[in-house]
Amino acid sequence: MAALKFLSSGLQLCASAHGSGGAWYKGCVCSFSTSFYTDPVEAVKDIADGVTVLVGGFQLCGIPGNLTGALLKTGVKGLTAVSNNARVDYFGLDLLLSSNQIKLGENEEFERQYLSGKLEVELTPQGTHAETIRAGGAGVPAFYTPTGYGTLPREVREHFILEEAITGDFALVKAWKADQAGNVIFRKSARNFNLPMWKAAETMVVEVEEIVDIGIYVYCLIKGEKYEKRIEHLSIQKEGDGEAKSAKPGNDVRERIIKRAALEFEDGMYANLGIGISLLASNFISPNMTVHLQSENGVLGLGLYPGQHEADADLINAVTVLLGASLFSSNESFAMIRGGHVDLIMLGAMQISKYGDLANWMIHGKIVKGMGGAMDLVSSAKSKVVVTMKHSTKGNAHKIMEKCTLPLTGKQCVNRIITEKAMSDLWEDLTVDDIQKGTGCDFAVSPKLMPMQQIAN
Ligand SMILES: *[C@@H]1O[C@H](CO)[C@@H](O)[C@H](O)[C@H]1NC(C)=O
Ligand SMILES: *[C@@H]1O[C@H](CO)[C@@H](O)[C@H](O)[C@H]1NC(C)=O
Ligand SMILES: CC(=O)N[C@H]1CO[C@H](CO)[C@@H](O)[C@@H]1O
């Protein structure tokens, strides 16, 4: 295994790897020396007990698996790990978690340890997380953001909360290719958190798939072998996707919601769709309409699910990208979201209050999904937030209620709710009484009450 190590002088972070297809530039002059390593354990041996390590990646896309695996071997203790997530057991950060080496993560093992109080943890909205790291790299110690206002215990000013920047002692980064001088390029959306983390740590250790001839920024490079790129939830396009199928009653309920949700799309709009019902609505976008789909992991111009042989782990959810799509890092992606440049946000909910408060990330003592990007997605008053969900829980508990009992994702942020029973309109076979029974709060009945519309087949 060929690997190389760069030793750099302190905090000079110099190059920036940009664009797809190998466009990158050097930002400034810095001095460094290079040494080569053949073993990932050697590459991480300077990581001592108690330091802070930033770990790149978004789900399984672009994670420095060889390096986190090597950390496990060095047996280092008491690390503070800063990471977007590490959700698949025994891969990446999970390895460290199960051996109790770190304090932060997000996965099943994490959930178990967190709930049992064994793990010290701080969960941060994904976009805030990306920005705290970007700010750390840019020397901005703290900033105000609308994300999480009214939900997170933070210092408040007007409608914003104060978030402190994050820097690390080490960044473990996964890139695609590096040259002999240490310039690196990322592939597709695999730049995600790798790019901002790169700049926010004193020492970078970079794992690449290939080292090419004649770079910077890097202290330590290691070439991983036999890359097995994994996709967490592979979805493949199936015959008949986008057509009505209503065999089972459960499907029928979903389909109603999906088809109504599809009417929210307008030609030329930018939309971010949560997984599940919301994303399925995109199957019904009329072919004479262009809707630009944005995704948190750094894609604008998402296409349909790939065919069997087109799946690409460097595009996480295994979606395809359309011609003319753009790819960017996670901090850039959330700047777009918080900045209100995405017209329509469609996502699911566990509870919604009559004031439009949204809860969808945690059930006390039971489920800790993490808020992911949801707090950021609902933080801009400029974006229309549409919730698609079943009207009640499986056990028939109310989901639309006076006041949410679960931890909030956002306050007064929901503009429209679409369920199988109602929107601001009614499905024809239901009466207002039926809906009142399934709803935990009073509501006004519109004078323009009419049967609920849905997209034609
Ligand atoms: C995102 O972070 C990268 C790396 O720190 C930086 O080059 C880029 O300008 C940032 N984008 C935004 C919108 O802040
Ligand atoms: C798209 O095509 C349908 C018929 O296929 C038509 O009813 C509709 O008006 C068209 N929409 C636009 C925006 O052109
Ligand atoms: C992410 C990851 O762990 N990548 C590779 C690291 O190196 C080993 C072989 O040395 C591969 O099997 C992994 O796929």
Side-chain angles (χ1 to χ4, degrees), residues 233-341:
H233 306 287
L234 177 62
S235 302
I236 301 284
Q237 205 170 356
K238 292 187 217 72
E239 206 137 316
D241 268 1
E243 284 166 26
K245 32 182 165 345
S246 55
K248 283 186 244 141
N251 282 350
D252 191 43
V253 164
R254 259 171 93 80
E255 196 184 306
R256 271 186 164 198
I257 308 174
I258 291 166
K259 286 185 169 175
R260 174 56 192 82
L263 284 178
E264 298 293 313
F265 297 117
E266 284 166 27
D267 195 28
M269 102 186 322
Y270 293 87
N272 180 302
L273 309 179
I275 51 170
I277 291 179
S278 305
L279 193 57
L280 286 169
S282 68
N283 283 331
F284 292 90
I285 296 174
S286 142
N288 56 8
M289 208 188 259
T290 307
V291 176
H292 309 277
L293 298 183
Q294 199 261 13
S295 148
E296 297 94 292
N297 63 311
V299 184
L300 185 60
L302 284 184
L304 295 171
Y305 286 132
Q308 191 71 44
H309 302 292
E310 298 164 327
D312 186 336
D314 285 336
L315 287 170
I316 307 194
N317 278 336
V319 288
T320 51
V321 291
L322 302 175
L323 200 63
S326 61
L327 298 159
F328 33 82
S329 57
S330 300
N331 61 303
E332 193 84 44
S333 175
F334 282 101
M336 227 171 252
I337 289 167
R338 273 188 317 268
H341 306 290

Side-chain angles (χ1 to χ4, degrees), residues 6 72 91 116 124 221 228 235 270 332 377 402 404 451:
F6 287 78
L72 189 69
F91 202 69
S116 67
T124 313
L221 263 172
E228 159 215 11
S235 302
Y270 293 87
E332 193 84 44
L377 283 163
E402 281 289 318
C404 297

Side-chain angles (χ1 to χ4, degrees), residues 1 63-66 91 207 224-228:
M1 192 188 306
I63 55 170
N66 279 292
F91 202 69
E207 175 180 337
E225 268 181 356
K226 292 181 282 188
Y227 268 91
E228 159 215 11

